PDB file of all heavy atoms in Angstrom:
ATOM      1  N   LEU Z   1       0.834  -1.205   0.001  1.00 98.00           N
ATOM      2  CA  LEU Z   1      -0.004  -0.007   0.008  1.00 98.00           C
ATOM      3  C   LEU Z   1       0.866   1.252  -0.015  1.00 98.00           C
ATOM      4  O   LEU Z   1       1.948   1.277   0.597  1.00 98.00           O
ATOM      5  CB  LEU Z   1      -0.925   0.007   1.220  1.00 98.00           C
ATOM      6  CG  LEU Z   1      -1.864  -1.177   1.401  1.00 98.00           C
ATOM      7  CD1 LEU Z   1      -2.776  -0.925   2.614  1.00 98.00           C
ATOM      8  CD2 LEU Z   1      -2.699  -1.404   0.150  1.00 98.00           C
ATOM      9  N   THR Z   2       0.396   2.286  -0.668  1.00 98.00           N
ATOM     10  CA  THR Z   2       1.092   3.576  -0.663  1.00 98.00           C
ATOM     11  C   THR Z   2       0.143   4.628  -0.059  1.00 98.00           C
ATOM     12  O   THR Z   2      -1.032   4.349   0.175  1.00 98.00           O
ATOM     13  CB  THR Z   2       1.484   4.002  -2.093  1.00 98.00           C
ATOM     14  OG1 THR Z   2       0.316   4.443  -2.793  1.00 98.00           O
ATOM     15  CG2 THR Z   2       2.165   2.866  -2.846  1.00 98.00           C
ATOM     16  N   ASP Z   3       0.676   5.805   0.170  1.00 97.00           N
ATOM     17  CA  ASP Z   3      -0.156   6.906   0.674  1.00 97.00           C
ATOM     18  C   ASP Z   3      -0.754   7.738  -0.449  1.00 97.00           C
ATOM     19  O   ASP Z   3      -1.509   8.681  -0.186  1.00 97.00           O
ATOM     20  CB  ASP Z   3       0.695   7.816   1.575  1.00 97.00           C
ATOM     21  CG  ASP Z   3       1.151   7.103   2.825  1.00 97.00           C
ATOM     22  OD1 ASP Z   3       0.395   6.225   3.309  1.00 97.00           O
ATOM     23  OD2 ASP Z   3       2.256   7.402   3.328  1.00 97.00           O
ATOM     24  N   GLN Z   4      -0.425   7.394  -1.684  1.00 98.00           N
ATOM     25  CA  GLN Z   4      -0.880   8.179  -2.836  1.00 98.00           C
ATOM     26  C   GLN Z   4      -2.374   7.952  -3.056  1.00 98.00           C
ATOM     27  O   GLN Z   4      -2.860   6.831  -3.076  1.00 98.00           O
ATOM     28  CB  GLN Z   4      -0.098   7.804  -4.092  1.00 98.00           C
ATOM     29  CG  GLN Z   4      -0.339   8.712  -5.273  1.00 98.00           C
ATOM     30  CD  GLN Z   4       0.590   8.400  -6.441  1.00 98.00           C
ATOM     31  OE1 GLN Z   4       1.587   7.687  -6.268  1.00 98.00           O
ATOM     32  NE2 GLN Z   4       0.272   8.922  -7.609  1.00 98.00           N
ATOM     33  N   LYS Z   5      -3.109   9.074  -3.231  1.00 98.00           N
ATOM     34  CA  LYS Z   5      -4.556   8.981  -3.432  1.00 98.00           C
ATOM     35  C   LYS Z   5      -4.975   9.809  -4.662  1.00 98.00           C
ATOM     36  O   LYS Z   5      -4.273  10.693  -5.108  1.00 98.00           O
ATOM     37  CB  LYS Z   5      -5.287   9.461  -2.197  1.00 98.00           C
ATOM     38  CG  LYS Z   5      -5.074   8.549  -0.982  1.00 98.00           C
ATOM     39  CD  LYS Z   5      -5.948   8.944   0.182  1.00 98.00           C
ATOM     40  CE  LYS Z   5      -5.758   7.983   1.365  1.00 98.00           C
ATOM     41  NZ  LYS Z   5      -6.607   8.333   2.509  1.00 98.00           N
ATOM     42  N   SER Z   6      -6.139   9.427  -5.172  1.00 98.00           N
ATOM     43  CA  SER Z   6      -6.695  10.122  -6.323  1.00 98.00           C
ATOM     44  C   SER Z   6      -8.225   9.954  -6.275  1.00 98.00           C
ATOM     45  O   SER Z   6      -8.769   9.665  -5.202  1.00 98.00           O
ATOM     46  CB  SER Z   6      -6.115   9.532  -7.629  1.00 98.00           C
ATOM     47  OG  SER Z   6      -6.583  10.257  -8.748  1.00 98.00           O
ATOM     48  N   GLU Z   7      -8.876  10.119  -7.410  1.00 97.00           N
ATOM     49  CA  GLU Z   7     -10.330   9.987  -7.450  1.00 97.00           C
ATOM     50  C   GLU Z   7     -10.726   9.236  -8.731  1.00 97.00           C
ATOM     51  O   GLU Z   7     -10.119   9.430  -9.797  1.00 97.00           O
ATOM     52  CB  GLU Z   7     -10.998  11.348  -7.421  1.00 97.00           C
ATOM     53  CG  GLU Z   7     -12.520  11.290  -7.315  1.00 97.00           C
ATOM     54  CD  GLU Z   7     -13.165  12.654  -7.151  1.00 97.00           C
ATOM     55  OE1 GLU Z   7     -12.868  13.332  -6.137  1.00 97.00           O
ATOM     56  OE2 GLU Z   7     -13.958  13.034  -8.028  1.00 97.00           O
ATOM     57  N   HIS Z   8     -11.703   8.360  -8.602  1.00 97.00           N
ATOM     58  CA  HIS Z   8     -12.229   7.629  -9.779  1.00 97.00           C
ATOM     59  C   HIS Z   8     -13.716   7.381  -9.581  1.00 97.00           C
ATOM     60  O   HIS Z   8     -14.131   6.857  -8.540  1.00 97.00           O
ATOM     61  CB  HIS Z   8     -11.481   6.301  -9.934  1.00 97.00           C
ATOM     62  CG  HIS Z   8     -11.751   5.605 -11.244  1.00 97.00           C
ATOM     63  ND1 HIS Z   8     -11.014   5.851 -12.370  1.00 97.00           N
ATOM     64  CD2 HIS Z   8     -12.691   4.690 -11.594  1.00 97.00           C
ATOM     65  CE1 HIS Z   8     -11.470   5.120 -13.365  1.00 97.00           C
ATOM     66  NE2 HIS Z   8     -12.499   4.393 -12.919  1.00 97.00           N
ATOM     67  N   LEU Z   9     -14.518   7.800 -10.547  1.00 96.00           N
ATOM     68  CA  LEU Z   9     -15.970   7.683 -10.481  1.00 96.00           C
ATOM     69  C   LEU Z   9     -16.537   8.317  -9.197  1.00 96.00           C
ATOM     70  O   LEU Z   9     -17.477   7.791  -8.607  1.00 96.00           O
ATOM     71  CB  LEU Z   9     -16.406   6.231 -10.591  1.00 96.00           C
ATOM     72  CG  LEU Z   9     -16.187   5.524 -11.914  1.00 96.00           C
ATOM     73  CD1 LEU Z   9     -16.669   4.061 -11.837  1.00 96.00           C
ATOM     74  CD2 LEU Z   9     -16.901   6.232 -13.061  1.00 96.00           C
ATOM     75  N   GLY Z  10     -15.923   9.425  -8.788  1.00 95.00           N
ATOM     76  CA  GLY Z  10     -16.409  10.126  -7.607  1.00 95.00           C
ATOM     77  C   GLY Z  10     -16.006   9.494  -6.299  1.00 95.00           C
ATOM     78  O   GLY Z  10     -16.432   9.956  -5.222  1.00 95.00           O
ATOM     79  N   ASN Z  11     -15.181   8.460  -6.333  1.00 97.00           N
ATOM     80  CA  ASN Z  11     -14.712   7.794  -5.115  1.00 97.00           C
ATOM     81  C   ASN Z  11     -13.229   8.081  -4.888  1.00 97.00           C
ATOM     82  O   ASN Z  11     -12.428   8.120  -5.830  1.00 97.00           O
ATOM     83  CB  ASN Z  11     -14.887   6.273  -5.242  1.00 97.00           C
ATOM     84  CG  ASN Z  11     -16.348   5.870  -5.337  1.00 97.00           C
ATOM     85  OD1 ASN Z  11     -17.071   5.798  -4.355  1.00 97.00           O
ATOM     86  ND2 ASN Z  11     -16.791   5.605  -6.589  1.00 97.00           N
ATOM     87  N   THR Z  12     -12.851   8.278  -3.653  1.00 98.00           N
ATOM     88  CA  THR Z  12     -11.437   8.419  -3.314  1.00 98.00           C
ATOM     89  C   THR Z  12     -10.777   7.066  -3.446  1.00 98.00           C
ATOM     90  O   THR Z  12     -11.239   6.072  -2.901  1.00 98.00           O
ATOM     91  CB  THR Z  12     -11.253   8.937  -1.886  1.00 98.00           C
ATOM     92  OG1 THR Z  12     -11.887  10.227  -1.770  1.00 98.00           O
ATOM     93  CG2 THR Z  12      -9.783   9.049  -1.509  1.00 98.00           C
ATOM     94  N   VAL Z  13      -9.684   7.009  -4.197  1.00 98.00           N
ATOM     95  CA  VAL Z  13      -8.978   5.751  -4.403  1.00 98.00           C
ATOM     96  C   VAL Z  13      -7.542   5.878  -3.921  1.00 98.00           C
ATOM     97  O   VAL Z  13      -6.947   6.972  -3.946  1.00 98.00           O
ATOM     98  CB  VAL Z  13      -8.983   5.334  -5.904  1.00 98.00           C
ATOM     99  CG1 VAL Z  13     -10.381   4.915  -6.326  1.00 98.00           C
ATOM    100  CG2 VAL Z  13      -8.463   6.452  -6.803  1.00 98.00           C
ATOM    101  N   GLN Z  14      -6.983   4.773  -3.484  1.00 98.00           N
ATOM    102  CA  GLN Z  14      -5.643   4.693  -2.949  1.00 98.00           C
ATOM    103  C   GLN Z  14      -4.817   3.741  -3.817  1.00 98.00           C
ATOM    104  O   GLN Z  14      -5.318   2.703  -4.260  1.00 98.00           O
ATOM    105  CB  GLN Z  14      -5.661   4.234  -1.503  1.00 98.00           C
ATOM    106  CG  GLN Z  14      -4.306   4.179  -0.814  1.00 98.00           C
ATOM    107  CD  GLN Z  14      -4.422   3.778   0.654  1.00 98.00           C
ATOM    108  OE1 GLN Z  14      -5.516   3.767   1.232  1.00 98.00           O
ATOM    109  NE2 GLN Z  14      -3.311   3.449   1.274  1.00 98.00           N
ATOM    110  N   LYS Z  15      -3.554   4.055  -3.983  1.00 98.00           N
ATOM    111  CA  LYS Z  15      -2.691   3.276  -4.852  1.00 98.00           C
ATOM    112  C   LYS Z  15      -2.035   2.128  -4.075  1.00 98.00           C
ATOM    113  O   LYS Z  15      -1.610   2.266  -2.931  1.00 98.00           O
ATOM    114  CB  LYS Z  15      -1.600   4.175  -5.448  1.00 98.00           C
ATOM    115  CG  LYS Z  15      -0.630   3.439  -6.369  1.00 98.00           C
ATOM    116  CD  LYS Z  15       0.399   4.407  -6.932  1.00 98.00           C
ATOM    117  CE  LYS Z  15       1.463   3.717  -7.760  1.00 98.00           C
ATOM    118  NZ  LYS Z  15       2.480   4.684  -8.271  1.00 98.00           N
ATOM    119  N   ALA Z  16      -1.965   0.967  -4.734  1.00 98.00           N
ATOM    120  CA  ALA Z  16      -1.233  -0.192  -4.221  1.00 98.00           C
ATOM    121  C   ALA Z  16      -0.501  -0.832  -5.395  1.00 98.00           C
ATOM    122  O   ALA Z  16      -0.929  -0.736  -6.554  1.00 98.00           O
ATOM    123  CB  ALA Z  16      -2.196  -1.189  -3.576  1.00 98.00           C
ATOM    124  N   THR Z  17       0.602  -1.494  -5.120  1.00 98.00           N
ATOM    125  CA  THR Z  17       1.375  -2.139  -6.160  1.00 98.00           C
ATOM    126  C   THR Z  17       1.656  -3.598  -5.774  1.00 98.00           C
ATOM    127  O   THR Z  17       1.665  -3.946  -4.599  1.00 98.00           O
ATOM    128  CB  THR Z  17       2.712  -1.399  -6.418  1.00 98.00           C
ATOM    129  OG1 THR Z  17       3.504  -1.450  -5.226  1.00 98.00           O
ATOM    130  CG2 THR Z  17       2.481   0.044  -6.827  1.00 98.00           C
ATOM    131  N   ALA Z  18       1.908  -4.387  -6.796  1.00 98.00           N
ATOM    132  CA  ALA Z  18       2.221  -5.800  -6.564  1.00 98.00           C
ATOM    133  C   ALA Z  18       2.798  -6.405  -7.819  1.00 98.00           C
ATOM    134  O   ALA Z  18       2.531  -5.945  -8.927  1.00 98.00           O
ATOM    135  CB  ALA Z  18       0.962  -6.588  -6.137  1.00 98.00           C
ATOM    136  N   ARG Z  19       3.585  -7.460  -7.630  1.00 96.00           N
ATOM    137  CA  ARG Z  19       4.040  -8.267  -8.751  1.00 96.00           C
ATOM    138  C   ARG Z  19       3.184  -9.506  -8.832  1.00 96.00           C
ATOM    139  O   ARG Z  19       2.998 -10.202  -7.837  1.00 96.00           O
ATOM    140  CB  ARG Z  19       5.517  -8.649  -8.599  1.00 96.00           C
ATOM    141  CG  ARG Z  19       6.462  -7.465  -8.736  1.00 96.00           C
ATOM    142  CD  ARG Z  19       7.919  -7.870  -8.935  1.00 96.00           C
ATOM    143  NE  ARG Z  19       8.742  -6.719  -9.216  1.00 96.00           N
ATOM    144  CZ  ARG Z  19       8.930  -6.191 -10.437  1.00 96.00           C
ATOM    145  NH1 ARG Z  19       8.342  -6.766 -11.480  1.00 96.00           N
ATOM    146  NH2 ARG Z  19       9.706  -5.132 -10.609  1.00 96.00           N
ATOM    147  N   PHE Z  20       2.675  -9.761 -10.034  1.00 95.00           N
ATOM    148  CA  PHE Z  20       1.790 -10.915 -10.221  1.00 95.00           C
ATOM    149  C   PHE Z  20       1.853 -11.368 -11.686  1.00 95.00           C
ATOM    150  O   PHE Z  20       1.761 -10.531 -12.589  1.00 95.00           O
ATOM    151  CB  PHE Z  20       0.338 -10.543  -9.850  1.00 95.00           C
ATOM    152  CG  PHE Z  20      -0.638 -11.644 -10.139  1.00 95.00           C
ATOM    153  CD1 PHE Z  20      -0.676 -12.795  -9.378  1.00 95.00           C
ATOM    154  CD2 PHE Z  20      -1.551 -11.523 -11.184  1.00 95.00           C
ATOM    155  CE1 PHE Z  20      -1.573 -13.821  -9.623  1.00 95.00           C
ATOM    156  CE2 PHE Z  20      -2.465 -12.521 -11.451  1.00 95.00           C
ATOM    157  CZ  PHE Z  20      -2.466 -13.679 -10.671  1.00 95.00           C
ATOM    158  N   GLY Z  21       2.076 -12.655 -11.872  1.00 92.00           N
ATOM    159  CA  GLY Z  21       2.071 -13.198 -13.218  1.00 92.00           C
ATOM    160  C   GLY Z  21       3.174 -12.657 -14.111  1.00 92.00           C
ATOM    161  O   GLY Z  21       3.004 -12.562 -15.335  1.00 92.00           O
ATOM    162  N   GLY Z  22       4.299 -12.267 -13.512  1.00 93.00           N
ATOM    163  CA  GLY Z  22       5.417 -11.765 -14.306  1.00 93.00           C
ATOM    164  C   GLY Z  22       5.290 -10.289 -14.669  1.00 93.00           C
ATOM    165  O   GLY Z  22       6.077  -9.783 -15.474  1.00 93.00           O
ATOM    166  N   ARG Z  23       4.334  -9.588 -14.084  1.00 96.00           N
ATOM    167  CA  ARG Z  23       4.164  -8.157 -14.355  1.00 96.00           C
ATOM    168  C   ARG Z  23       4.128  -7.390 -13.031  1.00 96.00           C
ATOM    169  O   ARG Z  23       3.750  -7.924 -11.983  1.00 96.00           O
ATOM    170  CB  ARG Z  23       2.846  -7.913 -15.120  1.00 96.00           C
ATOM    171  CG  ARG Z  23       2.790  -8.555 -16.504  1.00 96.00           C
ATOM    172  CD  ARG Z  23       1.454  -8.198 -17.171  1.00 96.00           C
ATOM    173  NE  ARG Z  23       1.246  -8.893 -18.407  1.00 96.00           N
ATOM    174  CZ  ARG Z  23       1.685  -8.477 -19.601  1.00 96.00           C
ATOM    175  NH1 ARG Z  23       2.352  -7.343 -19.671  1.00 96.00           N
ATOM    176  NH2 ARG Z  23       1.442  -9.155 -20.688  1.00 96.00           N
ATOM    177  N   LEU Z  24       4.473  -6.095 -13.101  1.00 97.00           N
ATOM    178  CA  LEU Z  24       4.302  -5.171 -11.999  1.00 97.00           C
ATOM    179  C   LEU Z  24       2.994  -4.444 -12.197  1.00 97.00           C
ATOM    180  O   LEU Z  24       2.781  -3.803 -13.244  1.00 97.00           O
ATOM    181  CB  LEU Z  24       5.458  -4.189 -11.929  1.00 97.00           C
ATOM    182  CG  LEU Z  24       5.366  -3.081 -10.877  1.00 97.00           C
ATOM    183  CD1 LEU Z  24       5.308  -3.684  -9.470  1.00 97.00           C
ATOM    184  CD2 LEU Z  24       6.519  -2.102 -10.992  1.00 97.00           C
ATOM    185  N   TRP Z  25       2.100  -4.537 -11.202  1.00 98.00           N
ATOM    186  CA  TRP Z  25       0.766  -3.956 -11.326  1.00 98.00           C
ATOM    187  C   TRP Z  25       0.589  -2.766 -10.392  1.00 98.00           C
ATOM    188  O   TRP Z  25       1.101  -2.772  -9.269  1.00 98.00           O
ATOM    189  CB  TRP Z  25      -0.297  -5.001 -10.993  1.00 98.00           C
ATOM    190  CG  TRP Z  25      -0.358  -6.120 -11.983  1.00 98.00           C
ATOM    191  CD1 TRP Z  25       0.313  -7.317 -11.940  1.00 98.00           C
ATOM    192  CD2 TRP Z  25      -1.110  -6.151 -13.205  1.00 98.00           C
ATOM    193  NE1 TRP Z  25       0.035  -8.081 -13.025  1.00 98.00           N
ATOM    194  CE2 TRP Z  25      -0.841  -7.396 -13.833  1.00 98.00           C
ATOM    195  CE3 TRP Z  25      -1.982  -5.256 -13.801  1.00 98.00           C
ATOM    196  CZ2 TRP Z  25      -1.441  -7.758 -15.038  1.00 98.00           C
ATOM    197  CZ3 TRP Z  25      -2.570  -5.598 -15.027  1.00 98.00           C
ATOM    198  CH2 TRP Z  25      -2.299  -6.830 -15.641  1.00 98.00           C
ATOM    199  N   GLU Z  26      -0.149  -1.776 -10.864  1.00 98.00           N
ATOM    200  CA  GLU Z  26      -0.528  -0.602 -10.098  1.00 98.00           C
ATOM    201  C   GLU Z  26      -2.035  -0.583  -9.985  1.00 98.00           C
ATOM    202  O   GLU Z  26      -2.747  -0.507 -11.006  1.00 98.00           O
ATOM    203  CB  GLU Z  26      -0.031   0.663 -10.801  1.00 98.00           C
ATOM    204  CG  GLU Z  26      -0.507   1.982 -10.202  1.00 98.00           C
ATOM    205  CD  GLU Z  26      -0.132   3.159 -11.060  1.00 98.00           C
ATOM    206  OE1 GLU Z  26       1.073   3.401 -11.235  1.00 98.00           O
ATOM    207  OE2 GLU Z  26      -1.034   3.832 -11.598  1.00 98.00           O
ATOM    208  N   ALA Z  27      -2.528  -0.695  -8.770  1.00 98.00           N
ATOM    209  CA  ALA Z  27      -3.976  -0.767  -8.527  1.00 98.00           C
ATOM    210  C   ALA Z  27      -4.436   0.459  -7.756  1.00 98.00           C
ATOM    211  O   ALA Z  27      -3.723   0.988  -6.913  1.00 98.00           O
ATOM    212  CB  ALA Z  27      -4.333  -2.044  -7.768  1.00 98.00           C
ATOM    213  N   TRP Z  28      -5.679   0.899  -8.075  1.00 98.00           N
ATOM    214  CA  TRP Z  28      -6.307   1.992  -7.349  1.00 98.00           C
ATOM    215  C   TRP Z  28      -7.616   1.461  -6.775  1.00 98.00           C
ATOM    216  O   TRP Z  28      -8.523   1.087  -7.527  1.00 98.00           O
ATOM    217  CB  TRP Z  28      -6.551   3.197  -8.259  1.00 98.00           C
ATOM    218  CG  TRP Z  28      -5.276   3.826  -8.735  1.00 98.00           C
ATOM    219  CD1 TRP Z  28      -4.544   3.487  -9.833  1.00 98.00           C
ATOM    220  CD2 TRP Z  28      -4.593   4.914  -8.090  1.00 98.00           C
ATOM    221  NE1 TRP Z  28      -3.431   4.298  -9.929  1.00 98.00           N
ATOM    222  CE2 TRP Z  28      -3.445   5.178  -8.881  1.00 98.00           C
ATOM    223  CE3 TRP Z  28      -4.823   5.672  -6.968  1.00 98.00           C
ATOM    224  CZ2 TRP Z  28      -2.534   6.165  -8.571  1.00 98.00           C
ATOM    225  CZ3 TRP Z  28      -3.926   6.683  -6.635  1.00 98.00           C
ATOM    226  CH2 TRP Z  28      -2.791   6.912  -7.429  1.00 98.00           C
ATOM    227  N   PHE Z  29      -7.710   1.383  -5.443  1.00 98.00           N
ATOM    228  CA  PHE Z  29      -8.881   0.797  -4.798  1.00 98.00           C
ATOM    229  C   PHE Z  29      -9.534   1.858  -3.907  1.00 98.00           C
ATOM    230  O   PHE Z  29      -8.933   2.844  -3.493  1.00 98.00           O
ATOM    231  CB  PHE Z  29      -8.479  -0.404  -3.947  1.00 98.00           C
ATOM    232  CG  PHE Z  29      -7.672  -0.076  -2.730  1.00 98.00           C
ATOM    233  CD1 PHE Z  29      -8.285   0.105  -1.504  1.00 98.00           C
ATOM    234  CD2 PHE Z  29      -6.279   0.068  -2.801  1.00 98.00           C
ATOM    235  CE1 PHE Z  29      -7.547   0.447  -0.356  1.00 98.00           C
ATOM    236  CE2 PHE Z  29      -5.523   0.395  -1.685  1.00 98.00           C
ATOM    237  CZ  PHE Z  29      -6.157   0.589  -0.458  1.00 98.00           C
ATOM    238  N   THR Z  30     -10.804   1.606  -3.621  1.00 98.00           N
ATOM    239  CA  THR Z  30     -11.542   2.499  -2.715  1.00 98.00           C
ATOM    240  C   THR Z  30     -12.074   1.736  -1.524  1.00 98.00           C
ATOM    241  O   THR Z  30     -12.797   0.735  -1.685  1.00 98.00           O
ATOM    242  CB  THR Z  30     -12.693   3.219  -3.463  1.00 98.00           C
ATOM    243  OG1 THR Z  30     -13.408   4.019  -2.518  1.00 98.00           O
ATOM    244  CG2 THR Z  30     -13.652   2.216  -4.109  1.00 98.00           C
ATOM    245  N   SER Z  31     -11.760   2.204  -0.354  1.00 96.00           N
ATOM    246  CA  SER Z  31     -12.301   1.604   0.870  1.00 96.00           C
ATOM    247  C   SER Z  31     -13.746   2.061   1.116  1.00 96.00           C
ATOM    248  O   SER Z  31     -14.411   1.523   2.006  1.00 96.00           O
ATOM    249  CB  SER Z  31     -11.426   1.957   2.081  1.00 96.00           C
ATOM    250  OG  SER Z  31     -11.285   3.362   2.197  1.00 96.00           O
ATOM    251  N   ASP Z  32     -14.233   3.000   0.287  1.00 94.00           N
ATOM    252  CA  ASP Z  32     -15.638   3.423   0.397  1.00 94.00           C
ATOM    253  C   ASP Z  32     -16.576   2.297  -0.030  1.00 94.00           C
ATOM    254  O   ASP Z  32     -17.756   2.319   0.330  1.00 94.00           O
ATOM    255  CB  ASP Z  32     -15.898   4.663  -0.470  1.00 94.00           C
ATOM    256  CG  ASP Z  32     -15.099   5.876   0.023  1.00 94.00           C
ATOM    257  OD1 ASP Z  32     -14.757   5.894   1.211  1.00 94.00           O
ATOM    258  OD2 ASP Z  32     -14.846   6.787  -0.810  1.00 94.00           O
ATOM    259  N   ILE Z  33     -16.079   1.381  -0.865  1.00 96.00           N
ATOM    260  CA  ILE Z  33     -16.861   0.240  -1.334  1.00 96.00           C
ATOM    261  C   ILE Z  33     -16.161  -1.014  -0.773  1.00 96.00           C
ATOM    262  O   ILE Z  33     -15.185  -1.503  -1.372  1.00 96.00           O
ATOM    263  CB  ILE Z  33     -16.963   0.185  -2.854  1.00 96.00           C
ATOM    264  CG1 ILE Z  33     -17.524   1.509  -3.381  1.00 96.00           C
ATOM    265  CG2 ILE Z  33     -17.862  -0.982  -3.314  1.00 96.00           C
ATOM    266  CD1 ILE Z  33     -17.593   1.605  -4.877  1.00 96.00           C
ATOM    267  N   PRO Z  34     -16.564  -1.515   0.382  1.00 92.00           N
ATOM    268  CA  PRO Z  34     -15.783  -2.507   1.146  1.00 92.00           C
ATOM    269  C   PRO Z  34     -15.901  -3.927   0.619  1.00 92.00           C
ATOM    270  O   PRO Z  34     -16.249  -4.853   1.352  1.00 92.00           O
ATOM    271  CB  PRO Z  34     -16.381  -2.363   2.558  1.00 92.00           C
ATOM    272  CG  PRO Z  34     -17.800  -1.999   2.320  1.00 92.00           C
ATOM    273  CD  PRO Z  34     -17.808  -1.120   1.098  1.00 92.00           C
ATOM    274  N   PHE Z  35     -15.607  -4.097  -0.667  1.00 96.00           N
ATOM    275  CA  PHE Z  35     -15.515  -5.450  -1.257  1.00 96.00           C
ATOM    276  C   PHE Z  35     -14.083  -5.675  -1.658  1.00 96.00           C
ATOM    277  O   PHE Z  35     -13.545  -4.914  -2.480  1.00 96.00           O
ATOM    278  CB  PHE Z  35     -16.447  -5.602  -2.460  1.00 96.00           C
ATOM    279  CG  PHE Z  35     -17.909  -5.557  -2.115  1.00 96.00           C
ATOM    280  CD1 PHE Z  35     -18.621  -4.357  -2.207  1.00 96.00           C
ATOM    281  CD2 PHE Z  35     -18.570  -6.697  -1.735  1.00 96.00           C
ATOM    282  CE1 PHE Z  35     -19.958  -4.321  -1.916  1.00 96.00           C
ATOM    283  CE2 PHE Z  35     -19.940  -6.667  -1.417  1.00 96.00           C
ATOM    284  CZ  PHE Z  35     -20.627  -5.476  -1.517  1.00 96.00           C
ATOM    285  N   SER Z  36     -13.441  -6.713  -1.098  1.00 96.00           N
ATOM    286  CA  SER Z  36     -12.041  -6.988  -1.410  1.00 96.00           C
ATOM    287  C   SER Z  36     -11.947  -7.757  -2.709  1.00 96.00           C
ATOM    288  O   SER Z  36     -11.658  -8.951  -2.740  1.00 96.00           O
ATOM    289  CB  SER Z  36     -11.401  -7.790  -0.261  1.00 96.00           C
ATOM    290  OG  SER Z  36     -10.039  -8.021  -0.536  1.00 96.00           O
ATOM    291  N   ASP Z  37     -12.233  -7.044  -3.808  1.00 98.00           N
ATOM    292  CA  ASP Z  37     -12.357  -7.696  -5.100  1.00 98.00           C
ATOM    293  C   ASP Z  37     -11.899  -6.752  -6.202  1.00 98.00           C
ATOM    294  O   ASP Z  37     -11.588  -5.594  -5.944  1.00 98.00           O
ATOM    295  CB  ASP Z  37     -13.806  -8.140  -5.320  1.00 98.00           C
ATOM    296  CG  ASP Z  37     -13.950  -9.341  -6.261  1.00 98.00           C
ATOM    297  OD1 ASP Z  37     -12.939  -9.682  -6.931  1.00 98.00           O
ATOM    298  OD2 ASP Z  37     -15.050  -9.912  -6.334  1.00 98.00           O
ATOM    299  N   GLY Z  38     -11.885  -7.262  -7.424  1.00 98.00           N
ATOM    300  CA  GLY Z  38     -11.472  -6.469  -8.562  1.00 98.00           C
ATOM    301  C   GLY Z  38     -11.601  -7.281  -9.833  1.00 98.00           C
ATOM    302  O   GLY Z  38     -12.063  -8.425  -9.800  1.00 98.00           O
ATOM    303  N   PRO Z  39     -11.184  -6.727 -10.956  1.00 98.00           N
ATOM    304  CA  PRO Z  39     -11.296  -7.438 -12.237  1.00 98.00           C
ATOM    305  C   PRO Z  39     -10.309  -8.607 -12.292  1.00 98.00           C
ATOM    306  O   PRO Z  39      -9.363  -8.701 -11.512  1.00 98.00           O
ATOM    307  CB  PRO Z  39     -10.959  -6.367 -13.269  1.00 98.00           C
ATOM    308  CG  PRO Z  39     -10.051  -5.441 -12.532  1.00 98.00           C
ATOM    309  CD  PRO Z  39     -10.567  -5.388 -11.121  1.00 98.00           C
TER     310      PRO Z  39
END
């Protein structure tokens, strides 16, 4: 998790990074919608 924040679809989103499947991923998630899920 990082402290970097932004906005997407009117929701405050926070940046997180991870290595998965041979790639480095940058994710933006919102704790306003408390589902630990994604695409």
